[in-house]
Structures are given as structure tokens and as C-alpha cells.
Amino acid sequence: LSLIFSLLLLFANAGFAKEPLRMAITVDDLPSHGDLPPKVTRLDIATKMLSVLKMHKVPEVYGFINAQRIDGDPDRVKVLEKWRAEGYPLGNHTYSHADLNKMTTDEFTAEISKNEDTLIKLNGKADWLYFRYPYLYEGNEIQKRDAIRKFLFDNHYQIAQVSADFEDWSWNNPYARCREKNDEKAISWLKKSYLRDAIDTLKQEMKVSKVVFKKQMSHILLLHIGAFDAEMLDQLLKKLEAMGVEFIPLSQALKDEVYQIDPHYVAAYGTEFEYQVLKSKHLTAKSLGIVPKWHYTQKKLDAICR
Ligand SMILES: [Zn+2]
């Protein structure tokens, strides 16, 4: 009996000692992102990502679409149909991947509305009222920012914020070039740096969450539908699982009360939600003793396999 009691205590302690690390996964820019390596199609990329997501039992992975990118191309239509056939929903990422910094409020809201026909047609009963800002640009002026938010809420959208972003997209074009050249050494560097940055960045984001929200927030990871993202997804999910990540639906992640905060943060660039809240408190990561550990080097990615 005492053994059972000690075991129970052990489990209870283990439960309290470690805060759960919950994460929703989202994929942007359906049906197409980045350059294609030789002999790879858009549908190959989607098929590969979907099979890995299913294998790891990741629930409710929203694919955020730009309907303009379908462009009458049957292979691209199939990407969206395949996403739905696997039971995953589609969300709104504007019709043409619109840049809010270069647009008026009216032009931008028209971009949101113009994407809806395709969403309604493809989503069936699934809830498509989730919005992901292109480039994570939420508005470079407060009036514009607030007007877009009002439009979204008036139209029953939820904002699909991002808490975990390691610039995954920036490996896709270098990978296509390196595959073209069959440069295995360069590709192995791409793989190593992608995983390293993903995990290092997440650890930073977890620290910021603890400081800003006094707890581990429900994370929302941003990925893109690119050839290298597809290539790396299985290894990435394994790394996350090894860190104790539990995959949850986006709808559940957004119920975390932290996402009810409006940071009133205005910037010409995009940034993760916890950093918006941090900056709205006039704090920086550096001021909290969090030293950004950026291995990510745009320069090297730009130069590789030219
Ligand atoms: Zn995008």
C-alpha cells in the first residue's frame, strides 16, 4: 500500500513540477509558398506535410489561404481540396497576401472579403472565420490597426495570433537552389540550422511568456507550405515532442486568456504576440535579461547555393 501511495505522490509531483507545453500548429500561404526543387509539385508538398501531421496526430491544423494563388492551376486547387479531405480547415490570409503597410483600411478589408468565396466553397461546415495577417503586419498606424480589428470582429473573425515564429519560410528558396545543384553539404547545413533555430527561438518565446504572462501560454506555431518545411516537418515535430509539447487545436489555443489581451501595439513590422504585449509594457527582451540567441543568418541563407 505504501508503495502505491509513494507512486501516487510521485505522479502528483511530476504533474505539478512541469507546466504543460501546449501548441497549435498553423500553416500559411496555401496553396503555394516559395520555389520548387526539381521534380517536386505543390501537391507533393501538401501531401507530405499532411501525412506527417496525421502521423503525429496534430489536431485541427489551419491552412491559411490566398485564393489568388490558385490562379486557375488545377494542381493548386488540389492542394486546398487535399487539405480539406484530410479533415483540416482553411482560414483567411487575404486574397493576394496583401501588405497592410501599403494599403488603406478599405483596400485591406476588401482583400479579406474577396478571399471568402473560396473559403465558403471549400470549408463546408468547418469554421473558416480565423484570420492570419500576412507578414503578421497588424497596422502601422493606430487608426488603421483598430479599424481592421473592428472589421474582423464585426464579421465574427478571430485573429489567429502567432507566438512561435522562427522565420521557417526563409529556408525554402535556398533549399530549392541546393537541390538543383545537388549540394548535399549545403543541404545538411540547412537542416541543422532550421532545427536549431526552431528550438532556440521557441525557448526564447517560452521565457518571454513566463515574464509577460506569468505562465506558459498556449503557443501557436507559424509554418509555411514550402518544400523545405515539408522536408523538415517530421524531424521538427519529433524535436517538439521530445521537449514535451502537446499538440492542440487552434480553436483551443485561442481560448487561452492571454489572447484576449489587446496589446494596442503599432509597428511597421510583424512580431509574435507575447513580444507585442512585452513591448506594449515598454519592456524589451534584453531589459529582462533575455539575450536573443539568434543563429539565424539571412546572409548565409541568401548566399548559399548561388
Ligand atoms: Zn503569409
Side-chain angles (χ1 to χ4, degrees), residues 231-261:
E231 179 67 25
M232 295 306 290
L233 189 57
D234 182 44
Q235 290 182 60
L236 176 64
L237 297 185
K238 279 181 182 145
K239 286 254 180 206
L240 294 172
E241 284 160 351
M243 283 175 78
V245 170
E246 177 203 336
F247 300 120
I248 60 170
L250 176 65
S251 54
Q252 185 187 329
L254 285 173
K255 288 197 179 89
D256 187 326
E257 73 273 6
V258 305
Y259 293 111
Q260 313 319 312
I261 297 169

Side-chain angles (χ1 to χ4, degrees), residues 28-29 93 97 224:
D28 279 15
D29 297 2
H93 196 39
H97 208 275
H224 292 76

Side-chain angles (χ1 to χ4, degrees), residues 28-30 33 64 66 69 93 97 132-136 222 224:
D28 279 15
D29 297 2
L30 272 63
H33 179 92
F64 288 94
N66 309 113
R69 291 186 179 176
H93 196 39
H97 208 275
R132 166 69 47 76
Y133 289 91
Y135 315 100
L136 310 184
L222 168 60
H224 292 76

Side-chain angles (χ1 to χ4, degrees), residues 27 36-58 61 78-79 82-83 86 88 172 175 179 187 191 223-237:
V27 181
L36 293 173
K39 300 192 186 89
V40 176
T41 67
R42 298 288 169 199
L43 189 58
D44 290 340
I45 293 171
T47 303
K48 190 167 191 169
M49 285 188 105
L50 287 163
S51 79
V52 173
L53 290 165
K54 287 282 160 182
M55 194 169 75
H56 288 264
K57 298 189 166 60
V58 186
V61 179
K78 279 187 204 144
V79 166
K82 175 93 181 146
W83 204 267
E86 293 295 340
Y88 288 142
N172 285 309
Y175 176 62
R179 279 282 304 276
I187 290 170
K191 290 181 175 177
L223 297 175
H224 292 76
I225 192 147
F228 197 60
D229 280 294
E231 179 67 25
M232 295 306 290
L233 189 57
D234 182 44
Q235 290 182 60
L236 176 64
L237 297 185

Side-chain angles (χ1 to χ4, degrees), residues 111-125:
E111 274 277 344
I112 297 170
S113 304
K114 207 175 170 187
N115 214 26
E116 290 177 347
D117 282 351
T118 306
L119 285 168
I120 291 165
K121 202 170 95 192
L122 288 167
N123 255 7
K125 286 204 170 77

